[in-house]
Amino acid sequence: HAARLAQSLAVVCCEANCDVVHYCREYHPDDWRRDELVEMELRENFGIRAVGHAGHLLYEPQGMVDNGRPAHVFTLTPYYDRAQKLPPPPRPRPAPAPGALWPPVE
C-alpha cells in the first residue's frame, strides 16, 4: 500500500515539477507507520522529500509520552489529562499574504 501511494505521489510530483510533498499528520499508530514508509519510498526511490505538519490537534501525541509510548488520542481522558500539564501551545502563524506560498518555504 505505501509503495503504491508513494508511486502515485511521485507521478503527481513529476507532472507538477516538484520535489517535495507536504502533508498533515494523522494520529493512529497505523497511520504513523504508513507515513514513515511513504516518506522512505519517496526519498529512496524517487528523490522526493516528504514533510509532515501538525494536523488538527493542539498537541502532537508523539510529544506526549507516557511510559515510553505516545499518547493515545482516541481515549480522551488520558490525552486530555496530559495536555493539561503542558505549556500553552504555540500561537498560530500569521495568515500568508495573498499569492504567497503556503506553507512558507524554509
Side-chain angles (χ1 to χ4, degrees), residues 37-106:
L37 292 171
V38 170
E39 284 188 28
M40 183 181 69
E41 286 281 332
L42 286 171
R43 181 179 58 254
E44 293 179 2
N45 295 328
F46 302 102
I48 297 170
R49 187 169 60 101
V51 180
H53 298 277
H56 60 278
L57 299 175
L58 289 176
Y59 298 100
E60 294 277 284
Q62 295 90 327
M64 299 173 64
V65 178
D66 183 32
N67 294 327
R69 296 170 46 121
H72 193 272
V73 299
F74 304 108
T75 307
L76 180 59
T77 303
Y79 177 82
Y80 179 80
D81 289 346
R82 281 186 231 157
Q84 294 300 304
K85 297 174 185 171
L86 296 173
R91 296 196 49 81
R93 291 179 174 176
L101 291 174
W102 189 257
V105 177
E106 297 173 3

